[in-house]
Amino acid sequence: VVIVGAGQAGFQAAASLRMEAYDAPITLIGEEPSLPYQRPPLSKGFLEGKQNVGNVELRPDAYYRDHKIDLISGSEVIRINRANRSVELRSGQRFPYETLILAIGSRVRKLSVKGAELDEVCYLRTLDDAIRIRQRLETARDIVVVGGGFIGLEVAAVARSMGKSVAVVEAQSRLMPRAVAPVISDFYQELHLGHGVQIHLATVVREIAAGQVFLSDGSAHKADLVIVGIGVLPNVELAQDGGLTVADGIVVDEYLRTEDSNIYAIGDCAQHPNPFAGQSTRIESVQNAVDQARCVAANIAGRGEPYRAVPWFWTDQFDIKLQMVGLSGGSVHLVTRGNPTSRKFSVFYFKEDRLAAIDSINRPGDHLVGRKLLAAGTALTPDQAADERLDLKSLQQQA
Ligand code: APR
Protein backbone atom coordinates (compact mmCIF):
# COMPACT_ATOMS: atom_id res chain seq x y z
CA VAL A 1 0.00 0.00 0.00
CA VAL A 2 1.23 3.49 -0.81
CA ILE A 3 -0.39 6.31 1.17
CA VAL A 4 0.01 9.83 -0.16
CA GLY A 5 -0.36 12.44 2.57
CA ALA A 6 0.94 11.99 6.11
CA GLY A 7 -1.64 14.04 8.02
CA GLN A 8 -4.13 12.59 10.47
CA ALA A 9 -5.86 10.46 7.80
CA GLY A 10 -2.72 9.14 6.14
CA PHE A 11 -1.05 8.32 9.44
CA GLN A 12 -4.17 6.55 10.72
CA ALA A 13 -4.51 4.49 7.53
CA ALA A 14 -0.98 3.16 8.01
CA ALA A 15 -1.49 2.52 11.72
CA SER A 16 -4.87 0.83 11.20
CA LEU A 17 -3.52 -1.42 8.44
CA ARG A 18 -0.90 -2.71 10.86
CA MET A 19 -3.61 -3.15 13.51
CA GLU A 20 -5.55 -5.18 10.94
CA ALA A 21 -2.46 -7.42 10.76
CA TYR A 22 -1.82 -6.35 7.20
CA ASP A 23 1.79 -7.38 6.74
CA ALA A 24 2.79 -6.25 3.24
CA PRO A 25 4.94 -3.13 2.75
CA ILE A 26 3.38 0.26 3.61
CA THR A 27 4.88 3.49 2.31
CA LEU A 28 3.61 6.75 3.83
CA ILE A 29 4.66 9.80 1.83
CA GLY A 30 4.29 13.30 3.30
CA GLU A 31 5.14 16.70 1.89
CA GLU A 32 5.96 18.29 5.25
CA PRO A 33 9.39 17.65 6.76
CA SER A 34 8.14 16.71 10.24
CA LEU A 35 6.83 13.47 11.69
CA PRO A 36 3.02 13.19 11.29
CA TYR A 37 1.33 15.43 13.87
CA GLN A 38 -2.07 16.52 15.16
CA ARG A 39 -3.40 19.83 13.87
CA PRO A 40 -6.06 20.71 16.48
CA PRO A 41 -3.56 21.89 19.16
CA LEU A 42 -1.89 24.24 16.67
CA SER A 43 -4.65 26.83 17.13
CA LYS A 44 -4.98 26.12 20.86
CA GLY A 45 -2.38 24.83 23.37
CA PHE A 46 0.56 24.84 20.95
CA LEU A 47 -0.01 28.50 20.08
CA GLU A 48 -0.17 29.38 23.77
CA GLY A 49 3.14 27.61 24.36
CA LYS A 50 1.52 24.92 26.54
CA GLN A 51 2.51 22.23 24.04
CA ASN A 52 5.62 21.74 21.97
CA VAL A 53 6.48 19.81 18.81
CA GLY A 54 6.99 16.57 20.73
CA ASN A 55 3.49 16.88 22.24
CA VAL A 56 1.74 17.18 18.90
CA GLU A 57 3.56 14.38 17.05
CA LEU A 58 1.20 11.45 16.60
CA ARG A 59 3.95 8.89 17.29
CA PRO A 60 7.69 9.06 17.91
CA ASP A 61 10.15 8.14 15.19
CA ALA A 62 10.62 4.60 16.51
CA TYR A 63 6.96 3.74 15.93
CA TYR A 64 7.41 3.82 12.14
CA ARG A 65 10.47 1.59 12.26
CA ASP A 66 8.88 -0.83 14.71
CA HIS A 67 5.74 -1.14 12.58
CA LYS A 68 7.63 -1.31 9.29
CA ILE A 69 5.93 1.80 7.97
CA ASP A 70 8.26 3.37 5.44
CA LEU A 71 7.77 7.07 6.22
CA ILE A 72 9.04 9.39 3.51
CA SER A 73 8.81 12.96 4.79
CA GLY A 74 9.46 16.20 2.94
CA SER A 75 8.53 14.64 -0.41
CA GLU A 76 5.85 15.77 -2.80
CA VAL A 77 4.05 13.30 -5.04
CA ILE A 78 3.54 15.01 -8.39
CA ARG A 79 1.99 12.26 -10.49
CA ILE A 80 -0.08 9.12 -10.31
CA ASN A 81 0.59 6.73 -13.14
CA ARG A 82 -2.47 4.50 -13.09
CA ALA A 83 -1.42 2.46 -16.13
CA ASN A 84 1.63 1.03 -14.39
CA ARG A 85 0.35 1.62 -10.84
CA SER A 86 3.01 3.90 -9.48
CA VAL A 87 3.38 7.36 -8.00
CA GLU A 88 6.20 9.72 -8.81
CA LEU A 89 7.92 12.18 -6.47
CA ARG A 90 9.22 15.58 -7.51
CA SER A 91 12.70 14.07 -7.16
CA GLY A 92 11.81 11.61 -9.93
CA GLN A 93 11.71 8.65 -7.55
CA ARG A 94 8.85 6.23 -8.23
CA PHE A 95 6.92 3.96 -5.90
CA PRO A 96 4.84 1.11 -7.28
CA TYR A 97 1.56 0.33 -5.53
CA GLU A 98 -1.00 -2.39 -5.46
CA THR A 99 -3.38 -0.14 -3.51
CA LEU A 100 -3.08 3.64 -3.33
CA ILE A 101 -4.67 5.76 -0.60
CA LEU A 102 -4.96 9.48 -1.29
CA ALA A 103 -5.03 11.34 2.01
CA ILE A 104 -3.88 14.63 0.53
CA GLY A 105 -6.03 16.92 2.67
CA SER A 106 -6.75 20.56 2.07
CA ARG A 107 -4.94 23.86 1.92
CA VAL A 108 -5.83 27.32 3.18
CA ARG A 109 -7.87 29.70 1.08
CA LYS A 110 -5.78 32.77 0.46
CA LEU A 111 -6.84 36.34 0.94
CA SER A 112 -6.71 38.26 -2.34
CA VAL A 113 -6.55 41.91 -1.37
CA LYS A 114 -3.83 44.50 -1.78
CA GLY A 115 -1.14 43.88 0.82
CA ALA A 116 -2.10 40.24 1.42
CA GLU A 117 1.42 39.20 0.44
CA LEU A 118 3.01 41.30 3.23
CA ASP A 119 5.21 39.52 5.75
CA GLU A 120 2.92 40.17 8.74
CA VAL A 121 0.05 38.24 7.09
CA CYS A 122 -0.01 34.63 8.35
CA TYR A 123 -2.15 31.55 7.77
CA LEU A 124 -2.54 28.66 10.17
CA ARG A 125 -2.59 25.15 8.78
CA THR A 126 0.80 23.50 9.27
CA LEU A 127 3.21 23.08 12.15
CA ASP A 128 5.55 25.55 10.45
CA ASP A 129 2.70 28.08 10.23
CA ALA A 130 2.01 27.65 13.96
CA ILE A 131 5.69 28.02 14.89
CA ARG A 132 5.86 31.21 12.87
CA ILE A 133 2.71 32.68 14.46
CA ARG A 134 3.89 31.67 17.93
CA GLN A 135 7.14 33.53 17.40
CA ARG A 136 5.35 36.61 16.14
CA LEU A 137 2.94 36.56 19.08
CA GLU A 138 5.92 37.12 21.38
CA THR A 139 6.25 40.71 20.19
CA ALA A 140 2.99 41.53 18.37
CA ARG A 141 0.58 43.85 20.18
CA ASP A 142 -2.22 44.56 17.74
CA ILE A 143 -3.72 41.61 15.90
CA VAL A 144 -6.36 41.46 13.22
CA VAL A 145 -7.91 38.05 12.64
CA VAL A 146 -9.61 37.61 9.27
CA GLY A 147 -12.40 35.01 9.38
CA GLY A 148 -14.70 34.32 12.31
CA GLY A 149 -14.77 30.55 11.85
CA PHE A 150 -13.10 27.89 13.99
CA ILE A 151 -9.50 28.83 13.30
CA GLY A 152 -10.04 32.58 13.53
CA LEU A 153 -11.93 32.41 16.82
CA GLU A 154 -9.58 29.91 18.47
CA VAL A 155 -6.61 32.08 17.56
CA ALA A 156 -8.44 35.23 18.69
CA ALA A 157 -9.12 33.63 22.09
CA VAL A 158 -5.48 32.62 22.53
CA ALA A 159 -4.14 36.02 21.48
CA ARG A 160 -6.61 37.89 23.67
CA SER A 161 -5.70 35.65 26.64
CA MET A 162 -2.10 36.72 26.08
CA GLY A 163 -3.24 40.34 26.50
CA LYS A 164 -3.06 41.35 22.84
CA SER A 165 -5.49 43.77 21.25
CA VAL A 166 -7.57 41.58 18.89
CA ALA A 167 -10.12 42.43 16.19
CA VAL A 168 -11.99 39.70 14.27
CA VAL A 169 -13.31 40.42 10.78
CA GLU A 170 -16.04 38.07 9.53
CA ALA A 171 -17.63 38.36 6.08
CA GLN A 172 -20.99 36.87 7.12
CA SER A 173 -23.45 38.43 9.54
CA ARG A 174 -22.61 36.06 12.42
CA LEU A 175 -19.72 34.00 13.81
CA MET A 176 -19.08 30.38 12.69
CA PRO A 177 -21.96 30.67 10.19
CA ARG A 178 -20.90 27.57 8.25
CA ALA A 179 -21.30 25.19 11.15
CA VAL A 180 -23.63 26.37 13.92
CA ALA A 181 -27.07 27.85 14.57
CA PRO A 182 -27.55 31.59 15.24
CA VAL A 183 -28.10 30.97 18.98
CA ILE A 184 -24.58 29.50 19.21
CA SER A 185 -23.12 32.30 17.07
CA ASP A 186 -24.72 34.86 19.41
CA PHE A 187 -23.33 33.09 22.47
CA TYR A 188 -19.80 33.18 21.00
CA GLN A 189 -20.16 36.81 20.03
CA GLU A 190 -20.98 37.68 23.66
CA LEU A 191 -18.15 35.48 24.90
CA HIS A 192 -15.54 37.17 22.72
CA LEU A 193 -16.89 40.67 23.32
CA GLY A 194 -16.89 39.95 27.07
CA HIS A 195 -13.18 39.15 26.84
CA GLY A 196 -12.50 42.38 24.97
CA VAL A 197 -12.20 41.02 21.42
CA GLN A 198 -13.49 43.50 18.86
CA ILE A 199 -15.79 41.97 16.25
CA HIS A 200 -16.70 43.27 12.80
CA LEU A 201 -19.50 41.25 11.19
CA ALA A 202 -20.61 41.47 7.56
CA THR A 203 -17.23 43.06 6.92
CA VAL A 204 -14.26 42.22 4.73
CA VAL A 205 -10.71 43.47 4.48
CA ARG A 206 -10.18 46.05 1.73
CA GLU A 207 -6.45 46.53 2.02
CA ILE A 208 -3.48 45.77 4.22
CA ALA A 209 -0.73 48.37 4.35
CA ALA A 210 2.32 48.46 6.61
CA GLY A 211 0.96 48.35 10.15
CA GLN A 212 -2.70 48.85 9.22
CA VAL A 213 -5.72 46.93 7.98
CA PHE A 214 -8.52 48.80 6.22
CA LEU A 215 -12.01 47.29 6.44
CA SER A 216 -15.10 47.55 4.25
CA ASP A 217 -17.03 49.25 7.10
CA GLY A 218 -14.70 52.22 6.76
CA SER A 219 -12.66 51.48 9.88
CA ALA A 220 -8.90 50.98 10.06
CA HIS A 221 -7.07 48.83 12.60
CA LYS A 222 -3.48 49.00 13.72
CA ALA A 223 -1.96 45.56 13.13
CA ASP A 224 1.53 44.18 13.51
CA LEU A 225 0.15 40.69 12.86
CA VAL A 226 -2.73 39.61 10.60
CA ILE A 227 -3.91 36.01 10.94
CA VAL A 228 -6.16 34.72 8.19
CA GLY A 229 -8.57 31.78 8.66
CA ILE A 230 -11.06 31.98 5.81
CA GLY A 231 -11.54 28.30 5.16
CA VAL A 232 -9.76 25.56 3.24
CA LEU A 233 -9.84 24.12 -0.27
CA PRO A 234 -9.52 20.38 -0.89
CA ASN A 235 -6.38 19.17 -2.65
CA VAL A 236 -7.76 17.42 -5.71
CA GLU A 237 -5.29 18.20 -8.49
CA LEU A 238 -3.24 15.03 -8.14
CA ALA A 239 -6.38 12.93 -8.56
CA GLN A 240 -7.74 15.12 -11.34
CA ASP A 241 -4.49 14.91 -13.31
CA GLY A 242 -4.66 11.16 -12.84
CA GLY A 243 -8.04 11.15 -14.60
CA LEU A 244 -10.13 10.51 -11.48
CA THR A 245 -13.50 12.21 -10.98
CA VAL A 246 -13.38 15.34 -8.85
CA ALA A 247 -16.24 17.53 -7.65
CA ASP A 248 -15.98 19.42 -4.33
CA GLY A 249 -13.42 16.72 -3.46
CA ILE A 250 -12.11 13.47 -4.92
CA VAL A 251 -15.26 11.46 -5.57
CA VAL A 252 -15.45 8.09 -3.81
CA ASP A 253 -18.14 5.49 -3.19
CA GLU A 254 -19.46 4.31 0.18
CA TYR A 255 -16.34 2.14 0.56
CA LEU A 256 -14.23 5.27 -0.03
CA ARG A 257 -12.98 3.89 -3.34
CA THR A 258 -12.55 6.08 -6.39
CA GLU A 259 -13.69 4.80 -9.80
CA ASP A 260 -10.27 3.11 -9.98
CA SER A 261 -10.74 0.14 -7.66
CA ASN A 262 -7.06 0.29 -6.63
CA ILE A 263 -7.31 3.88 -5.39
CA TYR A 264 -9.06 5.18 -2.27
CA ALA A 265 -9.41 8.76 -1.03
CA ILE A 266 -9.99 9.72 2.62
CA GLY A 267 -10.20 12.73 4.92
CA ASP A 268 -10.55 16.40 3.96
CA CYS A 269 -9.99 15.69 0.25
CA ALA A 270 -12.70 13.03 -0.18
CA GLN A 271 -16.26 13.62 -1.31
CA HIS A 272 -18.13 10.59 -0.07
CA PRO A 273 -21.75 9.40 0.28
CA ASN A 274 -22.57 10.20 3.89
CA PRO A 275 -25.74 8.73 5.47
CA PHE A 276 -25.92 11.62 7.96
CA ALA A 277 -25.80 14.21 5.17
CA GLY A 278 -28.23 12.18 3.05
CA GLN A 279 -25.99 12.96 0.08
CA SER A 280 -22.43 13.05 -1.10
CA THR A 281 -20.36 15.44 0.99
CA ARG A 282 -16.88 16.40 2.14
CA ILE A 283 -16.12 16.72 5.84
CA GLU A 284 -13.18 18.59 7.37
CA SER A 285 -12.58 17.03 10.77
CA VAL A 286 -10.24 14.81 12.74
CA GLN A 287 -13.07 12.34 13.38
CA ASN A 288 -13.73 11.97 9.66
CA ALA A 289 -10.03 11.57 8.87
CA VAL A 290 -9.56 8.89 11.53
CA ASP A 291 -12.76 6.95 10.86
CA GLN A 292 -12.33 6.98 7.09
CA ALA A 293 -8.76 5.72 7.53
CA ARG A 294 -10.02 2.86 9.71
CA CYS A 295 -12.75 2.07 7.20
CA VAL A 296 -10.28 1.86 4.31
CA ALA A 297 -7.86 -0.26 6.34
CA ALA A 298 -10.70 -2.68 7.10
CA ASN A 299 -11.65 -2.76 3.42
CA ILE A 300 -8.09 -3.48 2.32
CA ALA A 301 -7.88 -6.20 4.96
CA GLY A 302 -10.94 -7.80 3.39
CA ARG A 303 -13.68 -6.78 5.83
CA GLY A 304 -15.57 -4.59 3.38
CA GLU A 305 -17.76 -2.16 5.28
CA PRO A 306 -19.38 1.04 4.07
CA TYR A 307 -18.45 4.28 5.79
CA ARG A 308 -21.16 5.35 8.22
CA ALA A 309 -19.41 6.85 11.24
CA VAL A 310 -21.27 9.55 13.17
CA PRO A 311 -19.66 12.94 12.44
CA TRP A 312 -18.41 14.92 15.44
CA PHE A 313 -16.24 17.95 16.01
CA TRP A 314 -15.17 20.33 18.75
CA THR A 315 -13.70 23.77 19.36
CA ASP A 316 -12.13 25.30 22.50
CA GLN A 317 -12.34 29.06 22.92
CA PHE A 318 -11.46 30.72 26.25
CA ASP A 319 -12.91 28.40 28.92
CA ILE A 320 -15.75 27.15 26.74
CA LYS A 321 -15.88 23.82 24.93
CA LEU A 322 -18.31 23.41 22.05
CA GLN A 323 -18.92 19.82 20.96
CA MET A 324 -20.84 19.08 17.80
CA VAL A 325 -22.31 15.77 16.69
CA GLY A 326 -24.22 15.00 13.50
CA LEU A 327 -24.57 17.32 10.52
CA SER A 328 -26.82 20.29 11.17
CA GLY A 329 -26.87 21.75 7.63
CA GLY A 330 -30.39 22.05 6.23
CA SER A 331 -32.09 21.50 9.59
CA VAL A 332 -35.34 23.34 9.96
CA HIS A 333 -36.40 22.78 13.55
CA LEU A 334 -34.13 23.84 16.41
CA VAL A 335 -34.67 23.15 20.10
CA THR A 336 -32.55 24.51 22.94
CA ARG A 337 -32.03 22.35 26.03
CA GLY A 338 -30.75 24.30 29.03
CA ASN A 339 -30.21 28.01 29.21
CA PRO A 340 -27.52 29.93 27.30
CA THR A 341 -27.14 32.38 30.20
CA SER A 342 -25.98 29.49 32.40
CA ARG A 343 -23.20 28.83 29.85
CA LYS A 344 -24.36 25.20 29.72
CA PHE A 345 -26.80 24.36 26.96
CA SER A 346 -27.32 22.27 23.84
CA VAL A 347 -29.03 22.96 20.56
CA PHE A 348 -30.81 19.99 19.01
CA TYR A 349 -31.29 20.18 15.23
CA PHE A 350 -34.16 18.32 13.56
CA LYS A 351 -34.72 17.57 9.88
CA GLU A 352 -38.25 16.40 9.12
CA ASP A 353 -38.65 15.67 12.83
CA ARG A 354 -35.63 13.38 12.88
CA LEU A 355 -32.72 14.32 15.09
CA ALA A 356 -29.90 15.51 12.79
CA ALA A 357 -27.33 17.06 15.10
CA ILE A 358 -26.59 18.39 18.59
CA ASP A 359 -24.25 21.24 19.49
CA SER A 360 -23.36 21.25 23.19
CA ILE A 361 -21.76 24.01 25.19
CA ASN A 362 -20.25 22.73 28.43
CA ARG A 363 -22.68 19.80 28.39
CA PRO A 364 -20.52 16.80 27.48
CA GLY A 365 -23.26 14.41 28.62
CA ASP A 366 -25.62 15.59 25.87
CA HIS A 367 -22.84 15.19 23.34
CA LEU A 368 -21.99 11.64 24.36
CA VAL A 369 -25.63 10.52 24.45
CA GLY A 370 -26.13 12.29 21.13
CA ARG A 371 -23.39 10.24 19.51
CA LYS A 372 -25.15 7.06 20.59
CA LEU A 373 -28.65 8.22 19.65
CA LEU A 374 -27.48 9.26 16.19
CA ALA A 375 -25.47 6.08 15.65
CA ALA A 376 -28.47 3.93 16.58
CA GLY A 377 -30.99 6.16 14.77
CA THR A 378 -33.01 6.33 18.01
CA ALA A 379 -36.18 8.40 17.72
CA LEU A 380 -36.25 11.61 19.73
CA THR A 381 -38.95 14.23 19.42
CA PRO A 382 -38.30 17.97 19.67
CA ASP A 383 -40.49 18.04 22.82
CA GLN A 384 -38.41 15.33 24.46
CA ALA A 385 -35.22 17.21 23.59
CA ALA A 386 -36.54 20.38 25.23
CA ASP A 387 -37.73 18.57 28.37
CA GLU A 388 -34.86 18.75 30.85
CA ARG A 389 -36.64 16.33 33.21
CA LEU A 390 -36.26 13.56 30.64
CA ASP A 391 -32.98 11.70 31.03
CA LEU A 392 -31.73 11.22 27.47
CA LYS A 393 -29.73 8.20 28.56
CA SER A 394 -32.99 6.38 29.29
CA LEU A 395 -33.95 6.66 25.61
CA GLN A 396 -30.62 5.24 24.64
CA GLN A 397 -31.04 2.37 27.09
CA GLN A 398 -34.58 1.62 25.83
CA ALA A 399 -33.24 1.54 22.30
N1 APR B 1 -13.15 38.00 5.01
C1 APR B 1 -13.66 37.66 6.22
N2 APR B 1 -14.19 36.47 6.50
C2 APR B 1 -14.23 35.56 5.52
C3 APR B 1 -13.75 35.83 4.21
C4 APR B 1 -13.19 37.10 3.98
N3 APR B 1 -12.70 37.44 2.80
N4 APR B 1 -13.94 34.73 3.47
C5 APR B 1 -14.51 33.81 4.27
N5 APR B 1 -14.69 34.30 5.51
C6 APR B 1 -15.23 33.65 6.70
C7 APR B 1 -16.32 32.64 6.43
O1 APR B 1 -17.58 33.28 6.38
C8 APR B 1 -16.18 31.71 7.64
O2 APR B 1 -17.01 32.13 8.71
O3 APR B 1 -14.17 32.86 7.25
C9 APR B 1 -14.74 31.83 8.05
C10 APR B 1 -13.96 30.55 7.84
O4 APR B 1 -14.39 29.61 8.79
P1 APR B 1 -14.31 28.03 8.55
O5 APR B 1 -15.04 27.69 7.30
O6 APR B 1 -14.72 27.41 9.83
O7 APR B 1 -12.76 27.76 8.23
P2 APR B 1 -11.48 27.97 9.15
O8 APR B 1 -11.82 28.64 10.42
O9 APR B 1 -10.46 28.60 8.27
O10 APR B 1 -11.07 26.51 9.49
C11 APR B 1 -10.37 25.73 8.52
O11 APR B 1 -9.82 24.10 10.18
O12 APR B 1 -10.74 23.77 12.28
C12 APR B 1 -10.68 23.33 10.96
O13 APR B 1 -12.71 22.25 10.48
C13 APR B 1 -12.04 23.45 10.37
O14 APR B 1 -11.66 22.57 8.26
C14 APR B 1 -11.76 23.74 8.94
C15 APR B 1 -10.38 24.32 8.91
Side-chain angles (χ1 to χ4, degrees):
V1 172
V2 171
I3 304 166
V4 184
Q8 187 91 49
F11 160 78
Q12 187 65 50
S16 293
L17 279 166
R18 287 300 183 233
M19 279 188 266
E20 295 279 352
Y22 178 85
D23 59 8
I26 299 175
T27 306
L28 175 59
I29 307 172
E31 197 174 2
E32 293 178 54
S34 43
L35 288 174
Y37 59 89
Q38 311 170 51
R39 292 189 203 282
L42 300 185
S43 51
K44 309 178 182 83
F46 184 86
L47 215 52
E48 282 178 282
K50 288 185 182 160
Q51 285 164 299
N52 286 313
V53 175
N55 306 116
V56 300
E57 283 167 354
L58 284 156
R59 293 289 187 280
D61 210 12
Y63 170 87
Y64 301 92
R65 282 195 305 276
D66 294 349
H67 290 79
K68 297 194 168 53
I69 295 167
D70 194 7
L71 175 65
I72 300 179
S73 301
S75 298
E76 189 192 352
V77 171
I78 56 158
R79 198 166 297 118
I80 304 170
N81 189 334
R82 286 168 55 197
N84 70 8
R85 286 196 206 158
S86 69
V87 297
E88 185 183 331
L89 303 189
R90 188 165 291 287
S91 64
Q93 201 181 355
R94 283 167 202 264
F95 292 87
Y97 67 81
E98 190 177 283
T99 304
L100 178 64
I101 303 175
L102 298 174
I104 52 183
S106 53
R107 58 177 178 268
V108 291
R109 269 190 63 212
K110 293 281 181 89
L111 200 59
S112 59
V113 296
K114 199 167 163 215
E117 68 296 336
L118 286 170
D119 199 40
E120 67 259 33
V121 180
C122 297
Y123 295 83
L124 178 48
R125 179 77 192 163
T126 65
L127 185 54
D128 282 349
D129 293 339
I131 290 170
R132 179 161 173 247
I133 293 177
R134 193 157 97 166
Q135 278 164 354
R136 287 182 166 255
L137 278 173
E138 286 173 16
T139 52
R141 294 166 61 122
D142 298 289
I143 296 160
V144 171
V145 172
V146 186
F150 293 114
I151 294 292
L153 293 178
E154 289 178 3
V155 170
V158 168
R160 187 65 201 128
S161 303
M162 295 168 91
K164 315 290 178 186
S165 155
V166 181
V168 173
V169 183
E170 164 58 48
Q172 303 290 314
S173 57
R174 59 188 183 86
L175 298 175
M176 299 185 281
R178 180 175 63 85
V180 300
V183 57
I184 306 257
S185 300
D186 293 349
F187 176 87
Y188 274 88
Q189 189 172 336
E190 287 306 309
L191 176 72
H192 280 264
L193 289 174
H195 281 275
V197 174
Q198 302 162 64
I199 296 176
H200 296 262
L201 297 175
T203 306
V204 293
V205 173
R206 284 272 180 260
E207 186 180 339
I208 304 170
Q212 278 206 309
V213 177
F214 298 93
L215 305 182
S216 58
D217 62 7
S219 64
H221 274 274
K222 247 170 84 179
D224 38 24
L225 178 58
V226 179
I227 304 171
V228 184
I230 57 170
V232 295
L233 300 169
N235 292 325
V236 295
E237 292 76 4
L238 194 60
Q240 198 161 29
D241 294 348
L244 297 170
T245 304
V246 157
D248 176 41
I250 304 167
V251 174
V252 294
D253 66 13
E254 58 187 334
Y255 297 95
L256 309 175
R257 205 181 272 135
T258 65
E259 71 240 61
D260 181 328
S261 59
N262 302 108
I263 307 180
Y264 293 87
I266 57 173
D268 280 18
C269 69
Q271 181 174 328
H272 62 279
N274 189 297
F276 295 90
Q279 59 184 23
S280 171
T281 193
R282 201 174 59 72
I283 297 183
E284 298 159 9
S285 74
V286 172
Q287 169 278 319
N288 185 65
V290 169
D291 287 333
Q292 290 199 333
R294 289 180 177 146
C295 177
V296 162
N299 285 336
I300 292 171
R303 289 191 295 113
E305 278 174 15
Y307 181 65
R308 50 176 170 236
V310 178
W312 56 265
F313 193 77
W314 81 100
T315 174
D316 294 322
Q317 297 169 31
F318 297 109
D319 55 340
I320 303 288
K321 183 177 277 295
L322 168 62
Q323 294 168 291
M324 293 153 264
V325 59
L327 296 174
S328 58
S331 299
V332 284
H333 194 160
L334 270 58
V335 170
T336 304
R337 185 176 173 93
N339 188 345
T341 56
S342 70
R343 293 158 61 102
K344 284 186 182 181
F345 68 103
S346 295
V347 176
F348 287 64
Y349 299 80
F350 291 86
K351 269 184 224 166
E352 287 146 18
D353 269 4
R354 279 187 72 84
L355 178 65
I358 308 173
D359 292 348
S360 304
I361 288 180
N362 290 340
R363 279 179 73 117
D366 287 355
H367 176 75
L368 290 175
V369 173
R371 281 201 210 177
K372 292 184 175 143
L373 294 178
L374 283 165
T378 309
L380 174 78
T381 66
D383 286 345
Q384 285 174 318
D387 180 2
E388 284 229 64
R389 288 163 311 177
L390 175 80
D391 180 4
L392 296 177
K393 278 199 208 115
S394 67
L395 290 176
Q396 179 200 325
Q397 279 149 7
Q398 277 168 30

